[in-house]
Amino acid sequence: MLDETTKGVFTIAATPFLPNGALDFDSIDRMIDAYIEKGANGLTILGMMGEAGKLSSAESVAVVRRVRTRCAVPVIVGVSAPGFAAMTALSQEAMDAGAAGVMVAPPMGLRTDTQITSYFHNTVDALGGIPFVLQDFPLATGVQISPAVILQIVKDCPTCVMLKHEDWPGLEKITALRKASDKGARRLSILCGNGGMYLLEELLRGADGAMTGFGYPEMMRQVLDAFQAGDMDRARDVFDAYMPMIRYEAQPGMGLAIRKHSLARQGIIKHPTLRKPAAGLTAETIKEIDALAARQTRRLCELGL
Amino acid sequence: MLDETTKGVFTIAATPFLPNGALDFDSIDRMIDAYIEKGANGLTILGMMGEAGKLSSAESVAVVRRVRTRCAVPVIVGVSAPGFAAMTALSQEAMDAGAAGVMVAPPMGLRTDTQITSYFHNTVDALGGIPFVLQDFPLATGVQISPAVILQIVKDCPTCVMLKHEDWPGLEKITALRKASDKGARRLSILCGNGGMYLLEELLRGADGAMTGFGYPEMMRQVLDAFQAGDMDRARDVFDAYMPMIRYEAQPGMGLAIRKHSLARQGIIKHPTLRKPAAGLTAETIKEIDALAARQTRRLCELGL
Amino acid sequence: MLDETTKGVFTIAATPFLPNGALDFDSIDRMIDAYIEKGANGLTILGMMGEAGKLSSAESVAVVRRVRTRCAVPVIVGVSAPGFAAMTALSQEAMDAGAAGVMVAPPMGLRTDTQITSYFHNTVDALGGIPFVLQDFPLATGVQISPAVILQIVKDCPTCVMLKHEDWPGLEKITALRKASDKGARRLSILCGNGGMYLLEELLRGADGAMTGFGYPEMMRQVLDAFQAGDMDRARDVFDAYMPMIRYEAQPGMGLAIRKHSLARQGIIKHPTLRKPAAGLTAETIKEIDALAARQTRRLCELGL
Amino acid sequence: MLDETTKGVFTIAATPFLPNGALDFDSIDRMIDAYIEKGANGLTILGMMGEAGKLSSAESVAVVRRVRTRCAVPVIVGVSAPGFAAMTALSQEAMDAGAAGVMVAPPMGLRTDTQITSYFHNTVDALGGIPFVLQDFPLATGVQISPAVILQIVKDCPTCVMLKHEDWPGLEKITALRKASDKGARRLSILCGNGGMYLLEELLRGADGAMTGFGYPEMMRQVLDAFQAGDMDRARDVFDAYMPMIRYEAQPGMGLAIRKHSLARQGIIKHPTLRKPAAGLTAETIKEIDALAARQTRRLCELGL
């Protein structure tokens, strides 16, 4: 079960589709295996990157079950929904299937601090005792959550055990939360998203690991290992080798298509298909990705990776 | 089946709940009967006012079936969803249950004209041949749809047969659409929302009727009848009698709670319950609503209504 | 000098232009005279309705001086600006010319509570000891200020003496602020905007008066007088007589053009000209305004006004 | 005078302040010299990075004059303003002082395509014959301008000669504009911002150069020179050496403070002061910047730069 001490690399999983848009269960199996082989300590499924909003509720349950059957690492299930009835239903299915916890992003439209804390009070009511991750991703949700509000939620809601951190800029937020827990606030686990763009600085500020879906998920493991070994030069060398691609993926609205392209190129999933509505990649974009991938391979080779 | 010639009053239906938050099917029956008795030519269910986002998919289907069983007027079902899989699933259930068509609002986040037209092209793919209402409600969705974009959708999508008009300001939009159809564009049905706040001017601009959920739904019938009888003074007298309440309901985020209070006061539904997240009404607000209702009753009495 | 005890009707003044877009100083004189004759206890100039952002800084100063020369009532000057250098400069000019205080709306883009309170701390630094009105108008600024944040600003900033209230919905906010001052918080003056749409309810909740630019500014005086005389039926009769026009003015982005049309029709200003960018009124709109004005006149006549 | 054939590196200039917030004219001189020495073909002043909104109009004019006196390269002046009166006034002052053209970003709040094109039609009226740069920066302005709208503006407004491109994602937009000019649309100059984050891909898509204020402005020259020499490997090596810092600067709302820190560290300006409202840099952030700068120096040294 997820708790405040959870650490390491939680890979955000894509949801693979066949060219006709149906779920591709064979690719789910292969992808889960690859994520774990490349160093995932856990998985997060049905997040934004998992195209969760585009699945029917039956499909969501089917994905959760398939993933749980395939692997033994902790699985977090994204359950953000327009209303609590749907959130409760999916959360219960997920926990019944053996999930370690769920993840909730606040809905677009919340503005004041009070609206945000109320929303999470209601979330706790909806989830019962299920441990949950607060996903703080203002670029996607439009909801700005200050450190003081996060600390209020941490105080009010014992089942909030982890922050998926992807505010931007967000480094000061990590520092503020760690200073608060040094002074006695409950310390929650912080795993960082944002495609890994600030991973090294996030670790320096006190994050417990990474939770993102970068197309070469071994990056998180390699950076974290070097960092934990205290070899900062090595950590920066590895991190910088991936940075041109991390930055390319960071283009809003394009990241998922780029990642699925990269995963398919590596044979991790069979098709790069996204469900509609989704922008496809142009020939120019694919050429750019492939050029970056080739350089990345060379550079990693120089680093002995 | 819904088509471009649909006219009159389509009442937006609330979804009644028991105090514990469960669906209140007895109140659904009573409410449907009341809407029709008060002059509805059709009904729109599972819209924003119907708290559609707060229902599980099973509950949505149950509501559609109950309403269709209870009445013979055309029923439009709101099917807006984060993804097309859920939209397709509910639309098919709705049409199987005998709905006359469905209603789709664009998702928050669409910005450029091209994004909007693409979204509706995808909607048509998702709906197959099902006739649909385009809900144009920027205050709620954040999506601004210009008359030129609506006309493009009308041109590209033959199954788009009606506009639920609630842009604000929106009177010039009606005029622009009617001028375009005078010059040869396909003329679609326009029913107006916005709580009825500009109903008379909307009719003067060429709207075909009303589609809103004002707490005293007979207002739409009475105004439309006087307007169609050519008695503008009468139409204005009736409209003005309701205006203080229409304006009070127009407070964003409060309208539904006010309407459910009014419906419950009139015995049309048993409980004013909303599902969470929802703000309750304070004692001050209830006092204000009741004062407005008392004056409204007196004024309507003076008008022989 | 403006302070926490200020009460009554502060009319928001338009800025009259000649057809070529130049300032129309003759109309300024006539308009100021008319506002006072129709019951203004004070004036607010260079607000959003005053097209402040469209004036050069030299023009802004010229308008302040002309208005102050023409009248003896307290004048509040809108000084909202993209930066504090411009705000400080105009504020000092305004106070030198004899203004009673200034008005500041927070800039678009502020999101968290901390950002908002910081902004007003900086505002106080920029204004020195000048008393100011906090303009709370989320529909225009996008900035949501909760009652707790207003109370924090009231506590931190002794020169914040008045709230221009035009949150929507906003009635509970007045109640919250009054309950707080009953319990010991500093009580600031609350004058209400929103075009007068909820004026009566605002007074019932504890507002000290009105600050808006409705095209028939005597409405505020008449409603307030009846309310203060304790004749609620009379207050409602008067208020309801104006409501169809108040509601028509409430169309976003159109209110100012409608008001200038009404002011010009009454001979209060010479030309209804707005500076660009500004949408003009169509023939259909003008017809609708004039029909509402005719009915309004008849109804007020029946009421002996 | 700026025209459609303008190419190369236009450095976006900071506005240096003394610790007390006053303009630092000595640092302006030194900074201008440094920018040109580091390879600028032109300069852009009083943009967002220039804290333009925080200057009084007199200060803005003083900055323009000082910069023009100091250098002979073309100078573009940012003239974005809440209204056209201020825009016209500053533009005329700028051109009188010898500017090569002006830059205009659309104001927050424009939504539909028609609103955007109308705004630029009005801009042309306000500017008379002055050549201008359209600044397309949705992350800051909230205004989404599709390629079709840019092409419409290019068609309607002959004085629109350059696009400051910083849409994100924006690579396909460059491709779309270049494809359109290949088919006969007027070809305008495209210089790219976004802090240089996608500079190499932008050049590959057909951009004419860079316009940004990265804290080590020689980067733009070095990347562009290698690119134009056809040495893509060299271009990527140089670009990648700067990328960790480019990415760090990209944190929204922090970029300017980071740049001023870097400029001050290099002795290009005397003080890193920003005018309020502005977030300062924490000790943690300064440590991170300095670590990145040290590595950057080493890596550039390895590259012989």
Side-chain angles (χ1 to χ4, degrees), chain C residues 169-202:
Chain C
L171 297 172
E172 297 304 334
K173 187 177 274 187
I174 300 174
T175 299
L177 294 174
R178 290 316 187 209
K179 284 186 178 168
S181 57
D182 288 348
K183 289 184 185 158
R186 184 161 60 92
R187 185 192 191 281
L188 82 172
S189 169
I190 300 178
L191 301 189
C192 294
N194 262 329
M197 188 96 127
Y198 299 94
L199 179 54
L200 210 56
E201 284 87 0
E202 288 158 351

Short mmCIF file of all heavy atoms in Angstrom, two decimals, chain C residues 169-202:
data_model
loop_
_atom_site.label_atom_id
_atom_site.label_comp_id
_atom_site.label_asym_id
_atom_site.label_seq_id
_atom_site.Cartn_x
_atom_site.Cartn_y
_atom_site.Cartn_z
N PRO C 169 -21.06 35.38 -8.22
CA PRO C 169 -21.99 35.87 -7.20
C PRO C 169 -21.21 36.52 -6.06
O PRO C 169 -20.10 36.10 -5.77
CB PRO C 169 -22.69 34.59 -6.72
CG PRO C 169 -21.69 33.51 -6.96
CD PRO C 169 -20.94 33.92 -8.20
N GLY C 170 -21.84 37.49 -5.41
CA GLY C 170 -21.10 38.23 -4.41
C GLY C 170 -21.87 38.53 -3.14
O GLY C 170 -21.34 39.17 -2.23
N LEU C 171 -23.12 38.08 -3.06
CA LEU C 171 -23.92 38.45 -1.89
C LEU C 171 -23.35 37.84 -0.61
O LEU C 171 -23.26 38.50 0.42
CB LEU C 171 -25.38 38.06 -2.08
CG LEU C 171 -26.07 38.78 -3.26
CD1 LEU C 171 -27.45 38.21 -3.53
CD2 LEU C 171 -26.16 40.28 -3.00
N GLU C 172 -22.92 36.58 -0.70
CA GLU C 172 -22.38 35.93 0.50
C GLU C 172 -21.09 36.63 0.95
O GLU C 172 -20.73 36.60 2.13
CB GLU C 172 -22.11 34.45 0.25
CG GLU C 172 -23.33 33.62 -0.07
CD GLU C 172 -24.42 33.69 0.99
OE1 GLU C 172 -24.11 33.95 2.16
OE2 GLU C 172 -25.60 33.52 0.62
N LYS C 173 -20.38 37.21 0.00
CA LYS C 173 -19.14 37.90 0.36
C LYS C 173 -19.44 39.11 1.24
O LYS C 173 -18.73 39.36 2.22
CB LYS C 173 -18.40 38.32 -0.91
CG LYS C 173 -17.03 38.90 -0.65
CD LYS C 173 -16.29 39.23 -1.93
CE LYS C 173 -15.53 38.04 -2.46
NZ LYS C 173 -14.66 38.37 -3.63
N ILE C 174 -20.48 39.85 0.91
CA ILE C 174 -20.86 40.99 1.76
C ILE C 174 -21.20 40.50 3.16
O ILE C 174 -20.73 41.04 4.17
CB ILE C 174 -22.06 41.76 1.16
CG1 ILE C 174 -21.71 42.30 -0.23
CG2 ILE C 174 -22.48 42.90 2.09
CD1 ILE C 174 -22.88 42.94 -0.95
N THR C 175 -22.02 39.46 3.21
CA THR C 175 -22.40 38.91 4.52
C THR C 175 -21.18 38.47 5.31
O THR C 175 -21.07 38.76 6.51
CB THR C 175 -23.38 37.72 4.30
OG1 THR C 175 -24.55 38.22 3.64
CG2 THR C 175 -23.78 37.08 5.61
N ALA C 176 -20.24 37.80 4.65
CA ALA C 176 -19.03 37.33 5.34
C ALA C 176 -18.22 38.50 5.89
O ALA C 176 -17.73 38.44 7.03
CB ALA C 176 -18.18 36.49 4.39
N LEU C 177 -18.10 39.56 5.10
CA LEU C 177 -17.31 40.72 5.56
C LEU C 177 -18.01 41.42 6.72
O LEU C 177 -17.36 41.85 7.69
CB LEU C 177 -17.07 41.69 4.40
CG LEU C 177 -16.19 41.15 3.28
CD1 LEU C 177 -16.14 42.14 2.11
CD2 LEU C 177 -14.77 40.86 3.78
N ARG C 178 -19.32 41.52 6.65
CA ARG C 178 -20.04 42.18 7.74
C ARG C 178 -20.01 41.34 9.01
O ARG C 178 -19.90 41.89 10.12
CB ARG C 178 -21.49 42.49 7.32
CG ARG C 178 -21.61 43.60 6.27
CD ARG C 178 -20.72 44.77 6.58
NE ARG C 178 -20.93 45.91 5.69
CZ ARG C 178 -19.98 46.78 5.39
NH1 ARG C 178 -18.75 46.64 5.87
NH2 ARG C 178 -20.23 47.81 4.59
N LYS C 179 -20.13 40.02 8.86
CA LYS C 179 -20.03 39.17 10.06
C LYS C 179 -18.64 39.31 10.68
O LYS C 179 -18.49 39.33 11.91
CB LYS C 179 -20.29 37.70 9.70
CG LYS C 179 -21.76 37.42 9.49
CD LYS C 179 -22.06 35.93 9.28
CE LYS C 179 -23.57 35.70 9.13
NZ LYS C 179 -23.89 34.33 8.65
N ALA C 180 -17.61 39.43 9.85
CA ALA C 180 -16.25 39.57 10.37
C ALA C 180 -16.09 40.89 11.12
O ALA C 180 -15.46 40.94 12.18
CB ALA C 180 -15.24 39.47 9.23
N SER C 181 -16.67 41.97 10.58
CA SER C 181 -16.50 43.25 11.29
C SER C 181 -17.36 43.27 12.55
O SER C 181 -16.99 43.90 13.55
CB SER C 181 -16.77 44.44 10.37
OG SER C 181 -18.05 44.39 9.81
N ASP C 182 -18.47 42.55 12.54
CA ASP C 182 -19.23 42.42 13.80
C ASP C 182 -18.38 41.75 14.88
O ASP C 182 -18.56 42.01 16.07
CB ASP C 182 -20.50 41.57 13.57
CG ASP C 182 -21.54 42.34 12.76
OD1 ASP C 182 -21.37 43.56 12.58
OD2 ASP C 182 -22.50 41.70 12.30
N LYS C 183 -17.47 40.90 14.43
CA LYS C 183 -16.61 40.20 15.40
C LYS C 183 -15.28 40.90 15.62
O LYS C 183 -14.35 40.31 16.19
CB LYS C 183 -16.34 38.77 14.91
CG LYS C 183 -17.56 37.88 14.99
CD LYS C 183 -17.22 36.46 14.60
CE LYS C 183 -18.47 35.60 14.56
NZ LYS C 183 -18.29 34.41 13.72
N GLY C 184 -15.14 42.11 15.11
CA GLY C 184 -13.94 42.86 15.46
C GLY C 184 -13.01 43.26 14.34
O GLY C 184 -12.10 44.07 14.55
N ALA C 185 -13.18 42.71 13.15
CA ALA C 185 -12.34 43.15 12.03
C ALA C 185 -12.67 44.60 11.70
O ALA C 185 -13.78 45.07 11.97
CB ALA C 185 -12.59 42.27 10.81
N ARG C 186 -11.70 45.32 11.14
CA ARG C 186 -11.99 46.70 10.73
C ARG C 186 -13.12 46.67 9.69
O ARG C 186 -13.12 45.86 8.77
CB ARG C 186 -10.73 47.33 10.12
CG ARG C 186 -10.90 48.79 9.74
CD ARG C 186 -9.56 49.50 9.58
NE ARG C 186 -8.71 48.91 8.56
CZ ARG C 186 -8.69 49.30 7.27
NH1 ARG C 186 -9.45 50.30 6.86
NH2 ARG C 186 -7.88 48.71 6.41
N ARG C 187 -14.10 47.57 9.87
CA ARG C 187 -15.24 47.61 8.95
C ARG C 187 -14.92 48.60 7.85
O ARG C 187 -14.73 49.79 8.09
CB ARG C 187 -16.48 48.07 9.70
CG ARG C 187 -17.76 48.03 8.86
CD ARG C 187 -18.91 48.76 9.54
NE ARG C 187 -20.19 48.53 8.89
CZ ARG C 187 -20.58 49.15 7.78
NH1 ARG C 187 -19.79 50.03 7.19
NH2 ARG C 187 -21.77 48.90 7.26
N LEU C 188 -14.84 48.10 6.61
CA LEU C 188 -14.57 49.05 5.53
C LEU C 188 -15.87 49.36 4.79
O LEU C 188 -16.88 48.65 4.94
CB LEU C 188 -13.48 48.55 4.60
CG LEU C 188 -13.75 47.56 3.48
CD1 LEU C 188 -12.50 47.40 2.62
CD2 LEU C 188 -14.16 46.22 4.04
N SER C 189 -15.86 50.46 4.09
CA SER C 189 -17.02 50.84 3.29
C SER C 189 -17.16 49.87 2.12
O SER C 189 -16.17 49.47 1.51
CB SER C 189 -16.81 52.27 2.76
OG SER C 189 -17.78 52.57 1.80
N ILE C 190 -18.40 49.46 1.83
CA ILE C 190 -18.66 48.61 0.67
C ILE C 190 -19.67 49.31 -0.24
O ILE C 190 -20.81 49.53 0.16
CB ILE C 190 -19.22 47.23 1.08
CG1 ILE C 190 -18.23 46.48 1.98
CG2 ILE C 190 -19.53 46.39 -0.16
CD1 ILE C 190 -18.74 45.13 2.48
N LEU C 191 -19.21 49.68 -1.43
CA LEU C 191 -20.12 50.20 -2.45
C LEU C 191 -20.14 49.19 -3.59
O LEU C 191 -19.11 48.62 -3.95
CB LEU C 191 -19.66 51.57 -2.94
CG LEU C 191 -19.54 52.68 -1.89
CD1 LEU C 191 -19.28 54.04 -2.57
CD2 LEU C 191 -20.78 52.78 -1.01
N CYS C 192 -21.34 48.99 -4.16
CA CYS C 192 -21.52 47.86 -5.08
C CYS C 192 -21.66 48.27 -6.54
O CYS C 192 -22.32 49.27 -6.86
CB CYS C 192 -22.74 47.05 -4.65
SG CYS C 192 -22.47 46.27 -3.05
N GLY C 193 -21.05 47.47 -7.37
CA GLY C 193 -21.08 47.72 -8.81
C GLY C 193 -21.99 46.72 -9.51
O GLY C 193 -23.17 46.64 -9.20
N ASN C 194 -21.42 45.97 -10.46
CA ASN C 194 -22.21 44.99 -11.20
C ASN C 194 -23.39 45.63 -11.91
O ASN C 194 -24.42 44.98 -12.12
CB ASN C 194 -22.70 43.88 -10.26
CG ASN C 194 -21.81 42.65 -10.32
OD1 ASN C 194 -21.23 42.35 -11.36
ND2 ASN C 194 -21.67 41.96 -9.21
N GLY C 195 -23.25 46.91 -12.26
CA GLY C 195 -24.31 47.57 -13.01
C GLY C 195 -25.60 47.72 -12.22
O GLY C 195 -26.64 48.06 -12.79
N GLY C 196 -25.56 47.45 -10.92
CA GLY C 196 -26.77 47.59 -10.11
C GLY C 196 -27.64 46.35 -10.09
O GLY C 196 -28.71 46.34 -9.46
N MET C 197 -27.20 45.30 -10.74
CA MET C 197 -28.04 44.11 -10.95
C MET C 197 -28.58 43.48 -9.67
O MET C 197 -29.64 42.85 -9.68
CB MET C 197 -27.21 43.08 -11.69
CG MET C 197 -28.00 41.90 -12.15
SD MET C 197 -28.50 42.13 -13.85
CE MET C 197 -27.90 40.60 -14.53
N TYR C 198 -27.84 43.62 -8.57
CA TYR C 198 -28.27 43.01 -7.32
C TYR C 198 -28.32 44.06 -6.21
O TYR C 198 -28.17 43.75 -5.03
CB TYR C 198 -27.32 41.86 -6.93
CG TYR C 198 -27.33 40.78 -7.98
CD1 TYR C 198 -26.38 40.77 -8.99
CD2 TYR C 198 -28.33 39.82 -8.00
CE1 TYR C 198 -26.41 39.81 -9.99
CE2 TYR C 198 -28.38 38.86 -9.00
CZ TYR C 198 -27.42 38.86 -9.99
OH TYR C 198 -27.48 37.91 -10.98
N LEU C 199 -28.57 45.30 -6.58
CA LEU C 199 -28.43 46.41 -5.63
C LEU C 199 -29.26 46.22 -4.36
O LEU C 199 -28.77 46.42 -3.25
CB LEU C 199 -28.80 47.74 -6.32
CG LEU C 199 -28.72 48.97 -5.45
CD1 LEU C 199 -27.37 49.12 -4.77
CD2 LEU C 199 -29.02 50.22 -6.28
N LEU C 200 -30.51 45.81 -4.53
CA LEU C 200 -31.38 45.71 -3.36
C LEU C 200 -30.89 44.62 -2.40
O LEU C 200 -30.84 44.83 -1.19
CB LEU C 200 -32.81 45.42 -3.82
CG LEU C 200 -33.89 45.98 -2.91
CD1 LEU C 200 -33.72 47.48 -2.71
CD2 LEU C 200 -35.25 45.70 -3.53
N GLU C 201 -30.54 43.49 -2.96
CA GLU C 201 -30.04 42.42 -2.11
C GLU C 201 -28.70 42.83 -1.46
O GLU C 201 -28.42 42.47 -0.32
CB GLU C 201 -29.86 41.12 -2.91
CG GLU C 201 -31.16 40.40 -3.22
CD GLU C 201 -31.84 40.88 -4.51
OE1 GLU C 201 -31.29 41.80 -5.18
OE2 GLU C 201 -32.91 40.33 -4.86
N GLU C 202 -27.90 43.58 -2.18
CA GLU C 202 -26.62 44.03 -1.63
C GLU C 202 -26.85 44.94 -0.42
O GLU C 202 -26.15 44.83 0.60
CB GLU C 202 -25.80 44.74 -2.71
CG GLU C 202 -25.25 43.77 -3.76
CD GLU C 202 -24.91 44.41 -5.10
OE1 GLU C 202 -25.25 45.60 -5.33
OE2 GLU C 202 -24.33 43.71 -5.95
#
